[in-house]
Amino acid sequence: MGQWIRDFTEGNMLQKDLLGGKGANLAEMTSLGLPVPPGFTITTEACRAFLTEGELPDGLLEELTEAIGRLEAAMGRGLGDRDDPLLVSVRSGAKFSMPGMMETVLNIGLNDRSVEGLARTSGSDRFALDCYRRLMQMYGSTVLGMDSDGFAAELDAAKSQAGVAADVDLDSDSLRGLLSAYERLTLEHSGTVFPQDPQAQLVAAVLAVFSSWNTERARLYRRRERIPEDLGTAVNVQVMVYGNRGTSSGSGVCFTRDPATGRRGVYGDYLENAQGEDVVSGIRNTIPLTELGAIDKPSYDELIEVMANLENHYRDLCDIEFTVEEGRLWILQTRVGKRTPEAAFRLAHAMAKEGMIGADEALRRVTGAQLALVMFPRFDPDSQRSLLTTGIGASPGAAVGRIALDSATAAAWAAEGESVILLRKETTPDDLPGMVAAHGVLTSRGGKTSHAAVVARGMGRTCVCGAEALEVDLAERHVLVRGGEVQAEGQVISIDGSTGEVFAGSVPVTDSVVVRHLEGADDIGAESGGDLVEAVGFVLDHADDVRRLGVRANADTADDAARARRFGAAGIGLCRTEHMFLGERRELVERLILAEGAAEQEAALARLLPLQRADFTEILEAMDGLPVTIRLIDPPLHEFLPDQTDLAVQVALEDDRGQEDLRNHQLLEAVRRLHEQNPMLGLRGVRLGIVVPGLFAMQTRAVVEAAADRLAAGGDPRPEIMIPLVATVNELALVRSGVESVVASVLEERGVHLAVPVGTMIEVPRAAVTAGQIAEAADFFSFGTNDLTQMTWGFSRDDVEAAFFSAYLEQGVFPVSPFESLDVEGVGSLVETAMRGGREAKPDLHAGVCGEHGGDPDSIHFFDQVGLDYVSCSPFRVPVARLESGRATLAHRSSQ
């Protein structure tokens, strides 16, 4: 065992950190006795050393020579030997699967002399020349950095000149001409001829694979998938086997179950007389794997057995690459397969029922993000639609958008807020920015294992592949549909990633079957997704059984509260009362602001009281028996007033016409008086309650009177009153005293007994660091992480997200928006500090989070870790929070 290199016989599936996913699995399959071509892995440690030092680490070249020597001895051939050449492939393989993001070079060892030896030993001049042109093309684009479009153009020209449609139909003479064209391209680009030294080819390919870790598309993929930047990639060097040795050979990709649906069956693609890159690139349309049974039954039967063995061994869906070389099956790679969210739930449920995995493992295998995706809408089955064509449904979902024919256009339109469908002949890794930006991906070539399909599934993008009736014309910027119909770039289309259907125009969408089930529908049959509903229900039920965190909802209306309850919320963690002052009620707030003297102010509050009481009564009824945390008014008062500029213009025009309106003059004066340079840090929250005490008193009376009404109606109201924006215990104590006085007064008036906890939002950094003092005056804490994030970072979300967040994300200042997923190092540190101080002062202090981070899967794990009692999020995200809270509990157990 060397320092930098491990033979396939030396590792196992648990060594992904060192060998990468591909290398670890190749070693595992070798130990299982499967037909794996021999080879070795250059470790991720070597890559990290290269990325740090800018050159190959000491000793690697010597180990590489020794490892090649072992392969030569085992195979009885020399690398690039002129008479009987050993050829190898060089492939990347990081710990986490990054399909298509890094590079591959096949047929290392061929040169002008060894290609003749390969022709003699194989008995096929055409085969040897085809292998050589593949090496030149891959080496040129990967190692020399040449534009792959140049090679593609020469290949198309050769096919056109020969009068053939596919590369497999090019004869030897055509391939010799193509090689000459490739040599010319290489010389023009690099200034030197194609390298003839096999060892130099190998070293350069290894360097190129190491370097490909930091290509822009790889970095973009890692940012999106939140893969750490410092992992590095392993490099796998493997003896070549050939699927392009005629019709008795071929290459394919298969899955042990359907990666799009999770259902059992034989799924995959096969391509005769082809190497593996042909299958995933989509340059020729594949045939279904089942047809291999008719072409080569012995190889097919052996492959089915291998698939079953690997699924049983890994206890998961396996994605397998294989080659048949003149009737002999070789297994080139396996990995736990990428899957759609729907497939993830069906697989977890099915494998748990089969006894392959336990319920805990089933829960670990799905995520809150995947649940959110299966809750997305689908096309309305009863809607009118105009079918353009049907391809292969590669990643489920309903996507509607404008046709964009290249990645740059898709990204540009999406940045302008447009919904986009990226439509390509086939995608390459360079299309990743457009795939990230698009709502859906559509290709005219390829199948379920093409680059487009695999990447789209991994990202949760709707995808349809292999829509052969579509002819993409980039010169004319349109798509010709077989039969004569033309769809210009920019026109709207709709794609169904489950059925593969492509429709002209915008097709209406409807709720997913999962949402319908959560809403109480009981008419969902097996054909319409009943098995998915059953799978989601199984996982959610188990999450509820194991989770420690409670899950509440942010809801401001009775309808939202009722939906949240149907979705499994155990109460309301944030009821924002300011939303109750909008619409027709805004005039009443204006009267409160314009009031001159206590009498007018009290009259305005008296008119608001019954409206507030009715709101709270409905919400408490919807959440009967469950806690409802009601936040007293938080925003500054001027938010309820007209825009200052608009009002000033209106007043000026009225005065100019002689239509002076005294009320508008008073209103303008109030708007100017209340105007603040930075309202977020101005007169709001607890400060407003101190300056205008009658407002908080009215709201408190409305809450307690509503609770008393519910008690009288036989209900079980459980209101909690929350004071916002507290920065010091003195503020909270002062306002709490007023709140408790009103509570006591109402309870005495109504003759009822009711506990009404009074707590505060921790959303100001000072509150977090003095939480021990604040806890003395609080029955509970609720972390308002939206404002806490703004104040900790020192920026306003509304102002900065569009201004510079995209630049920050692209340049890695932060991996994800801190408003989307909690900034654990900064904001999270304040949460930890507040929890520690609060619980030290009051061990039984109840604590939750009510910012939208409460529905973010990654943030939920942190909140569980620091000991919060519950998370609260929007009603739609309640199921996500339930699921992820269960996963957080399991993760916490396994780390102990």
Short mmCIF file of all heavy atoms in Angstrom, two decimals, residues 805-834:
data_model
loop_
_atom_site.label_atom_id
_atom_site.label_comp_id
_atom_site.label_asym_id
_atom_site.label_seq_id
_atom_site.Cartn_x
_atom_site.Cartn_y
_atom_site.Cartn_z
N PHE A 805 -26.33 39.94 -3.37
CA PHE A 805 -26.29 38.56 -2.91
C PHE A 805 -25.79 37.61 -3.99
O PHE A 805 -25.09 36.65 -3.71
CB PHE A 805 -27.68 38.12 -2.41
CG PHE A 805 -27.83 38.29 -0.92
CD1 PHE A 805 -27.20 39.32 -0.26
CD2 PHE A 805 -28.62 37.42 -0.18
CE1 PHE A 805 -27.34 39.49 1.10
CE2 PHE A 805 -28.76 37.58 1.19
CZ PHE A 805 -28.12 38.62 1.83
N SER A 806 -26.19 37.84 -5.24
CA SER A 806 -25.74 36.94 -6.31
C SER A 806 -24.22 36.96 -6.42
O SER A 806 -23.60 35.90 -6.60
CB SER A 806 -26.38 37.35 -7.64
OG SER A 806 -26.03 38.68 -7.98
N ALA A 807 -23.60 38.12 -6.27
CA ALA A 807 -22.14 38.21 -6.32
C ALA A 807 -21.52 37.49 -5.13
O ALA A 807 -20.49 36.79 -5.25
CB ALA A 807 -21.70 39.67 -6.34
N TYR A 808 -22.12 37.64 -3.96
CA TYR A 808 -21.61 36.97 -2.76
C TYR A 808 -21.68 35.45 -2.91
O TYR A 808 -20.76 34.73 -2.51
CB TYR A 808 -22.42 37.40 -1.53
CG TYR A 808 -21.82 38.58 -0.79
CD1 TYR A 808 -21.26 39.66 -1.48
CD2 TYR A 808 -21.82 38.63 0.60
CE1 TYR A 808 -20.73 40.74 -0.80
CE2 TYR A 808 -21.27 39.70 1.28
CZ TYR A 808 -20.73 40.75 0.58
OH TYR A 808 -20.19 41.81 1.25
N LEU A 809 -22.78 34.96 -3.48
CA LEU A 809 -22.93 33.52 -3.66
C LEU A 809 -21.96 33.00 -4.71
O LEU A 809 -21.32 31.96 -4.52
CB LEU A 809 -24.37 33.19 -4.06
CG LEU A 809 -25.42 33.42 -2.96
CD1 LEU A 809 -26.83 33.37 -3.55
CD2 LEU A 809 -25.28 32.39 -1.85
N GLU A 810 -21.81 33.72 -5.81
CA GLU A 810 -20.92 33.28 -6.88
C GLU A 810 -19.47 33.25 -6.42
O GLU A 810 -18.70 32.40 -6.83
CB GLU A 810 -21.06 34.21 -8.09
CG GLU A 810 -22.38 34.04 -8.85
CD GLU A 810 -22.58 35.13 -9.88
OE1 GLU A 810 -21.64 35.95 -10.08
OE2 GLU A 810 -23.67 35.18 -10.50
N GLN A 811 -19.09 34.21 -5.57
CA GLN A 811 -17.70 34.31 -5.13
C GLN A 811 -17.44 33.61 -3.81
O GLN A 811 -16.35 33.71 -3.26
CB GLN A 811 -17.29 35.79 -5.06
CG GLN A 811 -17.37 36.49 -6.42
CD GLN A 811 -17.00 37.96 -6.36
OE1 GLN A 811 -15.96 38.30 -5.81
NE2 GLN A 811 -17.84 38.81 -6.91
N GLY A 812 -18.46 32.90 -3.31
CA GLY A 812 -18.26 32.07 -2.13
C GLY A 812 -18.15 32.81 -0.82
O GLY A 812 -17.63 32.26 0.16
N VAL A 813 -18.62 34.08 -0.75
CA VAL A 813 -18.61 34.78 0.53
C VAL A 813 -19.47 34.02 1.54
O VAL A 813 -19.12 33.87 2.70
CB VAL A 813 -19.12 36.23 0.36
CG1 VAL A 813 -19.20 36.94 1.72
CG2 VAL A 813 -18.21 37.00 -0.58
N PHE A 814 -20.61 33.55 1.07
CA PHE A 814 -21.35 32.55 1.84
C PHE A 814 -21.95 31.54 0.86
O PHE A 814 -22.26 31.88 -0.29
CB PHE A 814 -22.43 33.13 2.77
CG PHE A 814 -23.20 34.31 2.25
CD1 PHE A 814 -23.95 34.23 1.08
CD2 PHE A 814 -23.22 35.49 2.95
CE1 PHE A 814 -24.70 35.30 0.64
CE2 PHE A 814 -23.96 36.58 2.50
CZ PHE A 814 -24.69 36.48 1.35
N PRO A 815 -22.11 30.30 1.30
CA PRO A 815 -22.56 29.25 0.38
C PRO A 815 -24.04 29.32 0.05
O PRO A 815 -24.49 28.81 -0.96
CB PRO A 815 -22.23 27.95 1.14
CG PRO A 815 -22.26 28.35 2.59
CD PRO A 815 -21.76 29.76 2.63
N VAL A 816 -24.82 29.94 0.94
CA VAL A 816 -26.26 30.04 0.75
C VAL A 816 -26.72 31.30 1.48
O VAL A 816 -26.08 31.75 2.44
CB VAL A 816 -26.97 28.79 1.31
CG1 VAL A 816 -26.78 28.68 2.81
CG2 VAL A 816 -28.45 28.78 0.96
N SER A 817 -27.79 31.91 1.01
CA SER A 817 -28.29 33.13 1.64
C SER A 817 -28.56 32.89 3.12
O SER A 817 -29.22 31.92 3.49
CB SER A 817 -29.57 33.60 0.96
OG SER A 817 -30.25 34.55 1.77
N PRO A 818 -28.07 33.77 4.00
CA PRO A 818 -28.33 33.59 5.44
C PRO A 818 -29.80 33.79 5.81
O PRO A 818 -30.19 33.50 6.94
CB PRO A 818 -27.44 34.66 6.10
CG PRO A 818 -27.22 35.68 5.04
CD PRO A 818 -27.22 34.94 3.74
N PHE A 819 -30.61 34.28 4.87
CA PHE A 819 -32.04 34.36 5.12
C PHE A 819 -32.74 33.06 4.72
O PHE A 819 -33.87 32.81 5.11
CB PHE A 819 -32.66 35.53 4.35
CG PHE A 819 -32.18 36.86 4.85
CD1 PHE A 819 -31.36 37.65 4.07
CD2 PHE A 819 -32.53 37.31 6.10
CE1 PHE A 819 -30.91 38.87 4.52
CE2 PHE A 819 -32.09 38.54 6.58
CZ PHE A 819 -31.27 39.32 5.78
N GLU A 820 -32.06 32.24 3.94
CA GLU A 820 -32.62 30.96 3.52
C GLU A 820 -32.25 29.86 4.50
O GLU A 820 -33.07 29.03 4.86
CB GLU A 820 -32.10 30.62 2.12
CG GLU A 820 -32.59 29.29 1.58
CD GLU A 820 -31.98 28.98 0.22
OE1 GLU A 820 -31.54 29.91 -0.48
OE2 GLU A 820 -31.93 27.79 -0.15
N SER A 821 -30.98 29.84 4.90
CA SER A 821 -30.51 28.85 5.87
C SER A 821 -29.69 29.58 6.92
O SER A 821 -28.87 30.45 6.61
CB SER A 821 -29.65 27.79 5.15
OG SER A 821 -29.39 26.70 5.99
N LEU A 822 -29.91 29.24 8.18
CA LEU A 822 -29.33 30.00 9.28
C LEU A 822 -27.81 30.06 9.20
O LEU A 822 -27.14 29.06 8.95
CB LEU A 822 -29.74 29.37 10.62
CG LEU A 822 -29.40 30.22 11.85
CD1 LEU A 822 -30.41 31.34 12.01
CD2 LEU A 822 -29.36 29.36 13.11
N ASP A 823 -27.26 31.24 9.44
CA ASP A 823 -25.82 31.44 9.58
C ASP A 823 -25.42 30.91 10.96
O ASP A 823 -25.52 31.61 11.96
CB ASP A 823 -25.50 32.94 9.43
CG ASP A 823 -24.14 33.30 10.00
OD1 ASP A 823 -23.23 32.46 9.95
OD2 ASP A 823 -24.01 34.45 10.51
N VAL A 824 -25.00 29.67 10.98
CA VAL A 824 -24.74 29.00 12.26
C VAL A 824 -23.59 29.66 13.01
O VAL A 824 -23.64 29.84 14.24
CB VAL A 824 -24.46 27.50 12.01
CG1 VAL A 824 -23.96 26.84 13.28
CG2 VAL A 824 -25.73 26.81 11.52
N GLU A 825 -22.52 30.04 12.30
CA GLU A 825 -21.35 30.60 12.97
C GLU A 825 -21.65 31.94 13.63
O GLU A 825 -21.17 32.22 14.73
CB GLU A 825 -20.21 30.77 11.98
CG GLU A 825 -19.63 29.46 11.47
CD GLU A 825 -18.47 29.69 10.50
OE1 GLU A 825 -18.27 30.86 10.10
OE2 GLU A 825 -17.79 28.73 10.16
N GLY A 826 -22.44 32.78 12.97
CA GLY A 826 -22.72 34.10 13.51
C GLY A 826 -24.03 34.17 14.27
O GLY A 826 -24.06 34.25 15.50
N VAL A 827 -25.14 34.13 13.54
CA VAL A 827 -26.46 34.19 14.16
C VAL A 827 -26.67 32.99 15.08
O VAL A 827 -27.22 33.12 16.18
CB VAL A 827 -27.55 34.27 13.08
CG1 VAL A 827 -28.94 34.31 13.72
CG2 VAL A 827 -27.35 35.49 12.19
N GLY A 828 -26.22 31.83 14.63
CA GLY A 828 -26.36 30.63 15.46
C GLY A 828 -25.64 30.76 16.78
O GLY A 828 -26.11 30.27 17.82
N SER A 829 -24.49 31.42 16.78
CA SER A 829 -23.75 31.63 18.02
C SER A 829 -24.56 32.48 19.01
O SER A 829 -24.55 32.22 20.22
CB SER A 829 -22.42 32.31 17.72
OG SER A 829 -21.70 32.59 18.91
N LEU A 830 -25.28 33.47 18.48
CA LEU A 830 -26.13 34.29 19.34
C LEU A 830 -27.30 33.46 19.90
O LEU A 830 -27.69 33.64 21.06
CB LEU A 830 -26.67 35.49 18.56
CG LEU A 830 -25.63 36.57 18.21
CD1 LEU A 830 -26.26 37.62 17.31
CD2 LEU A 830 -25.09 37.22 19.48
N VAL A 831 -27.85 32.59 19.09
CA VAL A 831 -28.93 31.72 19.57
C VAL A 831 -28.42 30.82 20.70
O VAL A 831 -29.09 30.66 21.74
CB VAL A 831 -29.51 30.88 18.41
CG1 VAL A 831 -30.50 29.85 18.94
CG2 VAL A 831 -30.18 31.77 17.36
N GLU A 832 -27.25 30.24 20.50
CA GLU A 832 -26.66 29.39 21.55
C GLU A 832 -26.42 30.18 22.83
O GLU A 832 -26.71 29.71 23.95
CB GLU A 832 -25.35 28.80 21.05
CG GLU A 832 -25.51 27.66 20.07
CD GLU A 832 -24.18 26.98 19.77
OE1 GLU A 832 -23.42 27.51 18.94
OE2 GLU A 832 -23.90 25.92 20.37
N THR A 833 -25.88 31.39 22.68
CA THR A 833 -25.61 32.24 23.84
C THR A 833 -26.91 32.54 24.60
O THR A 833 -26.96 32.47 25.84
CB THR A 833 -24.94 33.54 23.39
OG1 THR A 833 -23.69 33.25 22.79
CG2 THR A 833 -24.74 34.49 24.57
N ALA A 834 -27.94 32.89 23.85
CA ALA A 834 -29.22 33.21 24.48
C ALA A 834 -29.83 32.00 25.17
O ALA A 834 -30.39 32.11 26.27
CB ALA A 834 -30.18 33.77 23.43
#
